[in-house]
Amino acid sequence: MFLGIAFLGIGLWAWNEKGVLSNISSITDLGGFDPVWLFLVVGGVMFILGFAGCIGALRENTFLLKFFSVFLGIIFFLELTAGVLAFVFKDWIKDQLYFFINNNIRAYRDDIDLQNLIDFTQEYWQCCGAFGADDWNLNIYFNCTDSNASRERCGVPFSCCTKDPAEDVINTQCGYDARQKPEVDQQIVIYTKGCVPQFEKWLQDNLTIVAGIFIGIALLQIFGICLAQNLVSDIEAVRASW
């Protein structure tokens, strides 16, 4: 419950720093994904579950305990459904991921949190764009059109650049004019693989760990539902004996 409050606090603080709370209509202005939503949604769910489970157990409130069980069961069912659908409709998921990444590439300079998220993703998976560096043509600052007067024209963000272990300071201009070079030369200075295939490769390489994490979360959820239902049964049994 308190962790959920912390997540909500971080999300609201981030929105306050960006001026969103003073202009609520700006929530819909961002063309891409706002990472703050992750903190708000996860924090909200954690708080609701924590409050219902904790207060329900302390006050022996069967309504809150049943709500906790049902809510947790719905989350478990949605996770299970999402996993099955992702396995069955892999190509559709890949297309949606491609669309999602490209949509956020367009909004790269519009929000600092989104920019940091994209940079982290490209650096972590050593990738550039959804399926390649040319996806950055979708961004008005990086496209190669003659009408683009930006200094970043035909370039890529610094997070696409290959890292030199000898460099202690990040060169934020390393991606300038990178896509004007021949493809062989591009591979020396920037990552040319897209983030979608790199994510697929990472998933295959770490399938056991990822599966273990999801199974562990599922078992915890089932354990929580069982404990809540057991406590409800005990409370109702005691009340029936009065």
Side-chain angles (χ1 to χ4, degrees), residues 42-110:
V42 172
V45 170
M46 291 175 66
F47 173 75
I48 293 171
L49 280 174
F51 179 84
C54 180
I55 303 302
L58 289 174
R59 303 298 299 174
E60 297 185 348
N61 188 310
T62 55
F63 172 78
L64 286 177
L65 289 172
K66 288 177 181 178
F67 173 81
F68 172 84
S69 297
V70 172
F71 195 29
L72 200 56
I74 291 172
I75 293 173
F76 175 75
F77 176 75
L78 290 175
E79 290 171 348
L80 187 63
T81 303
V84 172
L85 291 176
F87 180 78
V88 175
F89 300 103
K90 287 185 289 187
D91 292 336
W92 182 83
I93 294 293
K94 187 187 296 185
D95 291 339
Q96 292 304 307
L97 188 59
Y98 174 72
F99 174 79
F100 175 77
I101 293 175
N102 281 343
N103 193 45
N104 287 295
I105 283 175
R106 292 187 183 95
Y108 177 73
R109 293 293 190 202
D110 297 346

Coordinates of all heavy atoms in Angstrom, one line a residue, residues 42-110:
V42 N 0.5 1.7 -12.1 CA 1.0 0.6 -11.2 C 0.8 1.1 -9.8 O 0.4 0.2 -8.9 CB 2.5 0.4 -11.5 CG1 3.1 -0.5 -10.5 CG2 2.7 -0.2 -12.9
G43 N 1.1 2.3 -9.5 CA 0.9 2.8 -8.1 C -0.6 2.7 -7.7 O -0.9 2.4 -6.5
G44 N -1.5 3.1 -8.6 CA -2.9 3.0 -8.2 C -3.4 1.6 -7.9 O -4.1 1.3 -7.0
V45 N -3.0 0.7 -8.8 CA -3.3 -0.8 -8.6 C -2.7 -1.3 -7.3 O -3.4 -2.0 -6.5 CB -2.9 -1.6 -9.8 CG1 -3.0 -3.1 -9.5 CG2 -3.6 -1.2 -11.0
M46 N -1.5 -1.0 -7.0 CA -0.8 -1.4 -5.8 C -1.5 -0.9 -4.6 O -1.7 -1.5 -3.6 CB 0.7 -1.1 -5.8 CG 1.5 -1.8 -6.8 SD 3.2 -1.3 -6.9 CE 3.8 -1.7 -5.3
F47 N -1.9 0.4 -4.6 CA -2.5 1.1 -3.5 C -3.9 0.4 -3.2 O -4.2 0.1 -2.1 CB -2.7 2.6 -3.7 CG -3.5 3.2 -2.6 CD1 -2.9 3.5 -1.4 CD2 -4.8 3.6 -2.9 CE1 -3.7 4.1 -0.4 CE2 -5.5 4.2 -1.9 CZ -5.0 4.5 -0.6
I48 N -4.7 0.2 -4.3 CA -6.0 -0.4 -4.1 C -5.9 -1.8 -3.5 O -6.6 -2.1 -2.5 CB -6.7 -0.4 -5.4 CG1 -7.1 1.0 -5.9 CG2 -8.0 -1.2 -5.3 CD1 -7.6 1.1 -7.3
L49 N -5.0 -2.6 -4.1 CA -4.8 -3.9 -3.5 C -4.3 -3.9 -2.1 O -4.8 -4.7 -1.2 CB -3.8 -4.7 -4.4 CG -4.4 -5.3 -5.7 CD1 -3.3 -5.9 -6.6 CD2 -5.4 -6.4 -5.4
G50 N -3.3 -3.1 -1.9 CA -2.7 -3.0 -0.5 C -3.7 -2.5 0.5 O -3.8 -3.1 1.6
F51 N -4.5 -1.5 0.1 CA -5.5 -1.0 1.1 C -6.6 -2.0 1.4 O -6.9 -2.3 2.6 CB -6.1 0.3 0.5 CG -7.2 0.9 1.4 CD1 -6.8 1.8 2.4 CD2 -8.5 0.6 1.2 CE1 -7.8 2.3 3.2 CE2 -9.5 1.1 2.0 CZ -9.2 2.0 3.0
A52 N -7.1 -2.7 0.3 CA -8.2 -3.7 0.6 C -7.7 -4.8 1.4 O -8.3 -5.3 2.3 CB -8.7 -4.1 -0.8
G53 N -6.5 -5.3 1.0 CA -5.9 -6.5 1.7 C -5.5 -6.2 3.2 O -5.9 -7.0 4.1
C54 N -4.8 -5.1 3.4 CA -4.3 -4.7 4.7 C -5.5 -4.4 5.6 O -5.6 -4.9 6.7 CB -3.4 -3.6 4.6 SG -2.6 -3.0 6.1
I55 N -6.3 -3.4 5.2 CA -7.4 -3.0 6.1 C -8.4 -4.1 6.3 O -9.0 -4.3 7.4 CB -8.1 -1.7 5.5 CG1 -7.1 -0.6 5.3 CG2 -9.2 -1.2 6.4 CD1 -6.3 -0.2 6.6
G56 N -8.7 -4.8 5.2 CA -9.6 -6.0 5.3 C -9.2 -7.0 6.3 O -10.0 -7.5 7.1
A57 N -7.9 -7.3 6.4 CA -7.3 -8.3 7.3 C -7.3 -7.7 8.7 O -7.7 -8.4 9.7 CB -6.0 -8.7 6.9
L58 N -6.9 -6.4 8.9 CA -6.8 -5.8 10.2 C -8.2 -5.7 10.8 O -8.4 -5.9 12.0 CB -6.1 -4.5 10.1 CG -4.6 -4.5 9.8 CD1 -4.0 -3.1 9.6 CD2 -3.8 -5.2 11.0
R59 N -9.2 -5.2 10.0 CA -10.5 -5.0 10.6 C -11.4 -6.2 10.4 O -12.6 -6.1 10.7 CB -11.1 -3.8 9.8 CG -10.3 -2.5 9.9 CD -10.1 -2.0 11.4 NE -11.4 -1.7 12.0 CZ -11.6 -1.4 13.2 NH1 -10.5 -1.4 14.1 NH2 -12.8 -1.1 13.7
E60 N -10.9 -7.3 9.8 CA -11.7 -8.5 9.5 C -13.0 -8.1 8.7 O -14.1 -8.5 9.0 CB -12.1 -9.2 10.8 CG -10.9 -9.7 11.6 CD -11.2 -10.5 12.8 OE1 -12.4 -10.5 13.2 OE2 -10.3 -11.2 13.4
N61 N -12.7 -7.3 7.7 CA -13.8 -6.8 6.9 C -13.9 -7.8 5.7 O -13.0 -7.8 4.8 CB -13.5 -5.4 6.4 CG -14.7 -4.8 5.6 OD1 -15.2 -5.4 4.7 ND2 -15.1 -3.6 6.0
T62 N -14.9 -8.6 5.6 CA -15.1 -9.6 4.6 C -15.3 -9.0 3.2 O -14.9 -9.5 2.2 CB -16.2 -10.6 4.9 OG1 -17.4 -9.8 5.1 CG2 -15.9 -11.4 6.1
F63 N -15.9 -7.8 3.1 CA -16.2 -7.1 1.9 C -14.9 -6.7 1.2 O -14.6 -7.0 0.0 CB -17.1 -5.9 2.1 CG -17.2 -5.1 0.8 CD1 -18.1 -5.5 -0.2 CD2 -16.4 -3.9 0.6 CE1 -18.2 -4.7 -1.4 CE2 -16.5 -3.2 -0.5 CZ -17.4 -3.6 -1.5
L64 N -14.0 -6.1 2.0 CA -12.7 -5.7 1.5 C -11.8 -6.9 1.1 O -11.1 -6.9 0.1 CB -11.9 -4.8 2.5 CG -12.4 -3.4 2.7 CD1 -11.6 -2.7 3.8 CD2 -12.3 -2.6 1.4
L65 N -11.9 -8.0 1.9 CA -11.1 -9.2 1.6 C -11.6 -9.9 0.3 O -10.8 -10.3 -0.5 CB -11.2 -10.2 2.7 CG -10.4 -9.7 4.0 CD1 -10.7 -10.7 5.1 CD2 -8.9 -9.7 3.7
K66 N -12.9 -9.9 0.1 CA -13.5 -10.4 -1.1 C -13.2 -9.6 -2.3 O -12.9 -10.1 -3.4 CB -15.0 -10.6 -1.0 CG -15.4 -11.7 0.0 CD -17.0 -11.8 0.1 CE -17.4 -12.9 1.1 NZ -18.8 -12.9 1.3
F67 N -13.2 -8.2 -2.1 CA -12.8 -7.3 -3.2 C -11.4 -7.5 -3.6 O -11.0 -7.6 -4.8 CB -13.0 -5.9 -2.7 CG -12.5 -4.8 -3.7 CD1 -13.2 -4.5 -4.8 CD2 -11.2 -4.3 -3.5 CE1 -12.7 -3.5 -5.7 CE2 -10.7 -3.3 -4.4 CZ -11.5 -3.0 -5.5
F68 N -10.5 -7.7 -2.6 CA -9.1 -8.0 -2.8 C -8.9 -9.3 -3.7 O -8.1 -9.3 -4.6 CB -8.4 -8.2 -1.5 CG -6.9 -8.6 -1.5 CD1 -5.9 -7.7 -1.8 CD2 -6.6 -10.0 -1.4 CE1 -4.6 -8.2 -1.9 CE2 -5.3 -10.4 -1.5 CZ -4.3 -9.5 -1.7
S69 N -9.6 -10.3 -3.3 CA -9.5 -11.6 -4.0 C -10.0 -11.5 -5.5 O -9.4 -11.9 -6.4 CB -10.4 -12.7 -3.3 OG -9.9 -12.9 -2.0
V70 N -11.2 -10.8 -5.6 CA -11.7 -10.7 -7.0 C -10.8 -9.8 -7.9 O -10.6 -10.1 -9.0 CB -13.2 -10.1 -6.9 CG1 -13.7 -9.7 -8.3 CG2 -14.1 -11.0 -6.2
F71 N -10.4 -8.7 -7.3 CA -9.5 -7.8 -8.0 C -8.2 -8.5 -8.4 O -7.7 -8.3 -9.6 CB -9.2 -6.5 -7.2 CG -8.6 -5.4 -8.0 CD1 -8.9 -5.2 -9.3 CD2 -7.8 -4.4 -7.3 CE1 -8.4 -4.1 -10.0 CE2 -7.2 -3.4 -8.0 CZ -7.6 -3.2 -9.4
L72 N -7.6 -9.2 -7.5 CA -6.4 -9.9 -7.8 C -6.6 -11.0 -8.8 O -5.8 -11.3 -9.7 CB -5.8 -10.5 -6.5 CG -4.3 -10.9 -6.5 CD1 -3.4 -9.7 -6.9 CD2 -3.9 -11.4 -5.1
G73 N -7.8 -11.7 -8.7 CA -8.2 -12.7 -9.7 C -8.3 -12.1 -11.1 O -7.9 -12.7 -12.1
I74 N -8.9 -10.9 -11.2 CA -9.1 -10.3 -12.5 C -7.7 -10.0 -13.1 O -7.5 -10.2 -14.3 CB -9.9 -9.0 -12.3 CG1 -11.4 -9.3 -12.0 CG2 -9.9 -8.2 -13.6 CD1 -12.3 -8.2 -11.6
I75 N -6.8 -9.4 -12.3 CA -5.5 -9.1 -12.8 C -4.8 -10.4 -13.3 O -4.2 -10.4 -14.3 CB -4.6 -8.5 -11.7 CG1 -5.2 -7.1 -11.3 CG2 -3.2 -8.3 -12.1 CD1 -4.5 -6.4 -10.2
F76 N -4.9 -11.5 -12.5 CA -4.3 -12.8 -12.9 C -4.9 -13.3 -14.2 O -4.2 -13.7 -15.1 CB -4.5 -13.8 -11.8 CG -4.1 -15.2 -12.1 CD1 -2.7 -15.5 -12.2 CD2 -5.0 -16.2 -12.5 CE1 -2.3 -16.8 -12.5 CE2 -4.6 -17.4 -12.8 CZ -3.2 -17.7 -12.8
F77 N -6.2 -13.1 -14.4 CA -6.9 -13.6 -15.6 C -6.4 -12.7 -16.8 O -6.2 -13.3 -17.9 CB -8.4 -13.5 -15.4 CG -9.2 -13.8 -16.7 CD1 -9.3 -15.1 -17.1 CD2 -9.7 -12.8 -17.4 CE1 -10.0 -15.4 -18.2 CE2 -10.4 -13.1 -18.6 CZ -10.6 -14.4 -19.0
L78 N -6.3 -11.4 -16.6 CA -5.9 -10.5 -17.7 C -4.4 -10.9 -18.1 O -4.1 -10.9 -19.3 CB -6.0 -9.1 -17.2 CG -7.4 -8.5 -17.1 CD1 -7.4 -7.1 -16.5 CD2 -8.1 -8.6 -18.4
E79 N -3.6 -11.1 -17.1 CA -2.2 -11.5 -17.4 C -2.1 -12.8 -18.2 O -1.4 -12.9 -19.1 CB -1.4 -11.6 -16.1 CG -1.1 -10.3 -15.4 CD -0.5 -10.5 -14.0 OE1 -0.5 -11.7 -13.5 OE2 -0.1 -9.6 -13.4
L80 N -2.9 -13.8 -17.7 CA -3.0 -15.1 -18.4 C -3.5 -14.9 -19.9 O -2.9 -15.5 -20.8 CB -3.8 -16.0 -17.6 CG -3.9 -17.5 -18.1 CD1 -2.5 -18.1 -18.0 CD2 -4.9 -18.3 -17.3
T81 N -4.5 -14.1 -20.0 CA -5.1 -13.9 -21.4 C -4.1 -13.2 -22.3 O -3.9 -13.5 -23.4 CB -6.4 -13.0 -21.2 OG1 -7.3 -13.7 -20.4 CG2 -7.0 -12.8 -22.6
A82 N -3.4 -12.2 -21.7 CA -2.4 -11.4 -22.5 C -1.3 -12.3 -22.9 O -0.8 -12.2 -24.1 CB -1.9 -10.3 -21.7
G83 N -0.9 -13.2 -22.0 CA 0.2 -14.2 -22.4 C -0.2 -15.1 -23.5 O 0.6 -15.4 -24.4
V84 N -1.4 -15.7 -23.4 CA -1.9 -16.6 -24.5 C -2.0 -15.8 -25.8 O -1.6 -16.4 -26.9 CB -3.2 -17.2 -24.0 CG1 -3.8 -18.0 -25.2 CG2 -3.0 -18.1 -22.8
L85 N -2.6 -14.7 -25.8 CA -2.8 -13.9 -27.0 C -1.5 -13.5 -27.6 O -1.3 -13.5 -28.9 CB -3.7 -12.6 -26.7 CG -5.1 -12.9 -26.4 CD1 -5.8 -11.6 -26.0 CD2 -5.9 -13.6 -27.5
A86 N -0.5 -13.1 -26.8 CA 0.8 -12.7 -27.3 C 1.5 -13.9 -28.0 O 2.2 -13.7 -29.0 CB 1.7 -12.2 -26.1
F87 N 1.3 -15.1 -27.5 CA 1.9 -16.3 -28.1 C 1.2 -16.7 -29.4 O 1.8 -17.1 -30.4 CB 1.8 -17.5 -27.1 CG 2.4 -18.8 -27.6 CD1 3.7 -19.0 -27.7 CD2 1.5 -19.8 -28.1 CE1 4.3 -20.1 -28.2 CE2 2.1 -21.0 -28.6 CZ 3.4 -21.1 -28.7
V88 N -0.2 -16.6 -29.4 CA -1.0 -17.0 -30.6 C -0.8 -15.9 -31.7 O -0.7 -16.3 -32.9 CB -2.4 -17.1 -30.2 CG1 -3.3 -17.4 -31.5 CG2 -2.6 -18.3 -29.2
F89 N -0.9 -14.6 -31.3 CA -0.8 -13.6 -32.3 C 0.5 -12.8 -32.3 O 0.6 -11.6 -32.1 CB -2.0 -12.6 -32.1 CG -3.3 -13.2 -32.2 CD1 -4.0 -13.5 -31.0 CD2 -3.9 -13.5 -33.4 CE1 -5.3 -14.1 -31.0 CE2 -5.2 -14.1 -33.4 CZ -5.9 -14.4 -32.3
K90 N 1.6 -13.6 -32.4 CA 2.9 -13.0 -32.4 C 3.2 -11.9 -33.4 O 3.8 -10.9 -33.2 CB 4.0 -14.1 -32.5 CG 4.1 -15.0 -31.2 CD 5.2 -16.0 -31.3 CE 4.9 -17.1 -32.3 NZ 5.9 -18.1 -32.3
D91 N 2.8 -12.2 -34.7 CA 3.0 -11.3 -35.7 C 2.2 -10.0 -35.5 O 2.7 -8.9 -35.8 CB 2.6 -11.9 -37.1 CG 3.5 -13.0 -37.5 OD1 4.6 -13.0 -37.0 OD2 3.0 -13.9 -38.3
W92 N 1.0 -10.1 -35.0 CA 0.2 -8.9 -34.7 C 0.8 -8.1 -33.6 O 0.9 -6.8 -33.7 CB -1.2 -9.3 -34.3 CG -2.1 -8.1 -34.1 CD1 -2.8 -7.4 -35.0 CD2 -2.4 -7.5 -32.8 NE1 -3.5 -6.4 -34.3 CE2 -3.3 -6.5 -33.0 CE3 -2.0 -7.8 -31.5 CZ2 -3.8 -5.7 -32.0 CZ3 -2.5 -7.0 -30.4 CH2 -3.4 -6.0 -30.7
I93 N 1.3 -8.8 -32.6 CA 2.0 -8.1 -31.5 C 3.3 -7.4 -32.0 O 3.5 -6.2 -31.6 CB 2.4 -9.1 -30.4 CG1 1.2 -9.7 -29.7 CG2 3.3 -8.4 -29.3 CD1 0.4 -8.7 -28.9
K94 N 4.0 -8.0 -32.9 CA 5.2 -7.4 -33.5 C 4.8 -6.1 -34.3 O 5.5 -5.1 -34.2 CB 5.9 -8.4 -34.4 CG 7.2 -7.9 -34.9 CD 7.8 -8.8 -35.9 CE 8.2 -10.2 -35.4 NZ 8.8 -11.1 -36.3
D95 N 3.7 -6.2 -35.0 CA 3.3 -5.0 -35.8 C 2.9 -3.9 -34.8 O 3.2 -2.7 -35.1 CB 2.1 -5.4 -36.7 CG 2.5 -6.3 -37.8 OD1 3.7 -6.3 -38.2 OD2 1.6 -7.0 -38.4
Q96 N 2.2 -4.2 -33.8 CA 1.7 -3.2 -32.8 C 2.9 -2.6 -32.1 O 3.0 -1.4 -31.8 CB 0.8 -3.8 -31.8 CG -0.5 -4.2 -32.3 CD -1.3 -3.1 -33.0 OE1 -1.5 -2.0 -32.4 NE2 -1.7 -3.3 -34.2
L97 N 4.0 -3.4 -31.8 CA 5.2 -2.9 -31.2 C 5.9 -2.0 -32.1 O 6.4 -0.9 -31.7 CB 6.1 -4.1 -30.8 CG 7.3 -3.7 -29.9 CD1 6.9 -3.1 -28.6 CD2 8.1 -5.0 -29.7
Y98 N 5.9 -2.3 -33.4 CA 6.6 -1.5 -34.4 C 5.8 -0.2 -34.5 O 6.5 0.9 -34.6 CB 6.5 -2.2 -35.8 CG 7.0 -1.4 -37.0 CD1 8.3 -1.1 -37.1 CD2 6.1 -1.0 -37.9 CE1 8.8 -0.4 -38.2 CE2 6.5 -0.2 -39.0 CZ 7.8 0.1 -39.2 OH 8.3 0.8 -40.2
F99 N 4.5 -0.2 -34.5 CA 3.7 1.0 -34.6 C 3.9 1.9 -33.4 O 4.1 3.1 -33.4 CB 2.2 0.7 -34.7 CG 1.3 1.9 -34.7 CD1 1.1 2.7 -35.8 CD2 0.6 2.1 -33.5 CE1 0.3 3.8 -35.7 CE2 -0.2 3.2 -33.4 CZ -0.4 4.0 -34.5
F100 N 4.0 1.2 -32.2 CA 4.2 2.0 -30.9 C 5.5 2.7 -30.9 O 5.6 3.9 -30.5 CB 4.1 1.0 -29.8 CG 4.3 1.5 -28.4 CD1 3.4 2.3 -27.8 CD2 5.6 1.3 -27.8 CE1 3.6 2.9 -26.5 CE2 5.8 1.9 -26.5 CZ 4.9 2.6 -25.9
I101 N 6.6 2.0 -31.3 CA 7.9 2.6 -31.2 C 8.0 3.7 -32.2 O 8.5 4.8 -31.9 CB 9.0 1.5 -31.6 CG1 9.1 0.5 -30.4 CG2 10.4 2.2 -31.7 CD1 10.0 -0.7 -30.7
N102 N 7.5 3.5 -33.4 CA 7.6 4.6 -34.4 C 6.7 5.8 -34.0 O 7.1 7.0 -34.3 CB 7.1 4.1 -35.8 CG 8.2 3.3 -36.5 OD1 9.3 3.3 -36.1 ND2 7.8 2.5 -37.5
N103 N 5.6 5.6 -33.4 CA 4.8 6.7 -32.9 C 5.5 7.5 -31.8 O 5.4 8.7 -31.8 CB 3.5 6.1 -32.3 CG 2.5 7.2 -32.1 OD1 2.3 8.1 -32.9 ND2 1.8 7.2 -30.9
N104 N 6.3 6.8 -31.0 CA 7.1 7.5 -30.0 C 8.4 8.2 -30.6 O 8.9 9.1 -30.0 CB 7.5 6.5 -28.9 CG 6.3 6.2 -28.0 OD1 5.8 7.1 -27.3 ND2 5.9 5.0 -28.0
I105 N 8.9 7.6 -31.7 CA 10.0 8.3 -32.4 C 9.6 9.6 -32.9 O 10.3 10.6 -32.8 CB 10.5 7.4 -33.5 CG1 11.3 6.2 -33.0 CG2 11.3 8.2 -34.6 CD1 11.8 5.2 -34.1
R106 N 8.4 9.7 -33.4 CA 7.8 11.0 -33.9 C 7.8 12.1 -32.7 O 8.0 13.2 -32.9 CB 6.4 10.9 -34.4 CG 6.4 10.1 -35.7 CD 5.0 10.1 -36.3 NE 4.9 9.3 -37.5 CZ 4.5 8.0 -37.5 NH1 4.1 7.4 -36.4 NH2 4.4 7.3 -38.6
A107 N 7.5 11.6 -31.5 CA 7.4 12.5 -30.4 C 8.6 12.6 -29.5 O 8.6 13.0 -28.3 CB 6.2 12.0 -29.5
Y108 N 9.8 12.1 -30.0 CA 11.0 12.0 -29.3 C 11.4 13.3 -28.5 O 11.8 13.3 -27.4 CB 12.1 11.6 -30.2 CG 13.5 11.5 -29.5 CD1 13.8 10.4 -28.7 CD2 14.5 12.4 -29.8 CE1 15.0 10.3 -28.1 CE2 15.7 12.3 -29.2 CZ 16.0 11.3 -28.3 OH 17.3 11.2 -27.8
R109 N 11.3 14.5 -29.2 CA 11.7 15.7 -28.6 C 10.5 16.4 -27.8 O 10.8 17.5 -27.3 CB 12.2 16.7 -29.7 CG 13.5 16.3 -30.4 CD 14.6 16.3 -29.4 NE 15.9 16.2 -30.1 CZ 17.0 15.8 -29.6 NH1 17.0 15.5 -28.3 NH2 18.1 15.6 -30.2
D110 N 9.4 15.8 -27.8 CA 8.2 16.5 -27.2 C 8.1 16.3 -25.7 O 7.5 17.1 -25.0 CB 6.9 15.9 -27.8 CG 6.8 16.2 -29.3 OD1 7.6 17.0 -29.8 OD2 5.9 15.6 -30.0

